[in-house]
């Protein structure tokens, strides 16, 4: 069943996330980025940071928490979702120890070739309210079979 366009504009409660040194290290390893600014304070200082900073795509962790709320609200199983596009616009780096709030908004729903395209905007702010990053994503949601199962089953 297509997603009802009346859901556009829904805003989901801020999701809190604390950026830890260990999570940054694990993430940098997982994506294969050996930039020392992600693991070594002295190297980060060499780039002008006070301490270790997160890789640019690290912010996807708190962003996904908002996606989870949106998917649950709309009754969408992630197995039906294809991540089409993702853009991050940073206001400042994301340093270790920062507690962030990620607020997710559904900005658009459009039917395309039997699928739904969702435009999702997530504002990531430090706990003090300062802007960290704007995330803009497009997700394609494949239809269910007429019996409610995923069409790929």
């Amino acid at each position: 069943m297509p997603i009802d366009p009346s859901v556009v504009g829904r805003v989901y409660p801020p999701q809190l996330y604390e950026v830890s040194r260990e999570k940054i290290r694990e993430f940098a390893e997982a994506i294969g980025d050996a930039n020392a600014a992600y693991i070594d304070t002295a190297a980060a200082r060499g780039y002008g940071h006070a301490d270790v900073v997160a890789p640019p795509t690290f912010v996807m962790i708190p962003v996904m928490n908002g996606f989870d709320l949106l998917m649950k609200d709309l009754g969408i199983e992630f197995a039906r979702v294809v991540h089409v596009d993702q853009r991050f616009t940073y206001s400042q780096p994301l340093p270790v120890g920062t507690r962030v709030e990620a607020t997710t908004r559904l900005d658009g729903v459009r039917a395309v070739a039997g699928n739904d395209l969702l435009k999702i905007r997530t504002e990531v702010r430090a706990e003090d309210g300062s802007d960290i990053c704007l995330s803009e994503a497009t997700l394609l949601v494949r239809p269910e079979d007429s019996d409610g199962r995923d069409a790929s089953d």
Side-chain angles (χ1 to χ4, degrees):
M1 176 182 330
I3 297 171
D4 182 347
S6 71
V7 299
V8 172
R10 285 189 184 174
V11 177
Y12 297 88
Q15 299 300 294
L16 300 176
Y17 185 84
E18 185 163 349
V19 180
S20 73
R21 192 172 303 278
E22 183 64 15
K23 291 298 181 186
I24 291 174
R25 185 195 60 74
E26 289 173 354
F27 189 87
E29 281 182 12
I31 64 171
D33 193 334
N35 186 327
Y38 306 148
I39 57 170
D40 179 26
T41 301
R45 287 184 178 147
Y47 288 105
H49 305 296
D51 202 343
V52 169
V53 293
T57 54
F58 181 91
V59 76
M60 196 61 198
I61 296 170
V63 167
M64 279 299 296
N65 293 336
F67 283 11
D68 289 344
L69 291 177
L70 184 146
M71 296 299 155
K72 184 175 181 182
D73 178 42
L74 300 181
I76 299 169
E77 297 174 6
F78 269 108
R80 296 178 31 226
V81 175
V82 177
H83 199 157
V84 176
D85 186 45
Q86 183 74 51
R87 297 180 189 274
F88 301 108
T89 306
Y90 273 86
S91 300
Q92 61 179 311
L94 183 54
V96 67
T98 305
R99 287 181 46 89
V100 298
E101 295 182 346
T103 304
T104 301
R105 173 190 160 94
L106 180 59
D107 272 356
V109 174
R110 183 169 57 104
V112 176
N115 301 296
D116 289 304
L117 282 178
L118 305 180
K119 293 282 191 180
I120 304 169
R121 172 187 183 96
T122 304
E123 295 175 356
V124 180
R125 291 189 173 92
E127 204 170 36
D128 67 6
S130 61
D131 292 334
I132 299 286
C133 178
L134 172 64
S135 162
E136 297 172 290
T138 303
L139 304 181
L140 180 140
V141 181
R142 295 178 294 127
E144 295 176 327
D145 280 342
S146 59
D147 64 1
R149 291 190 341 250
D150 183 324
S152 65
D153 288 344

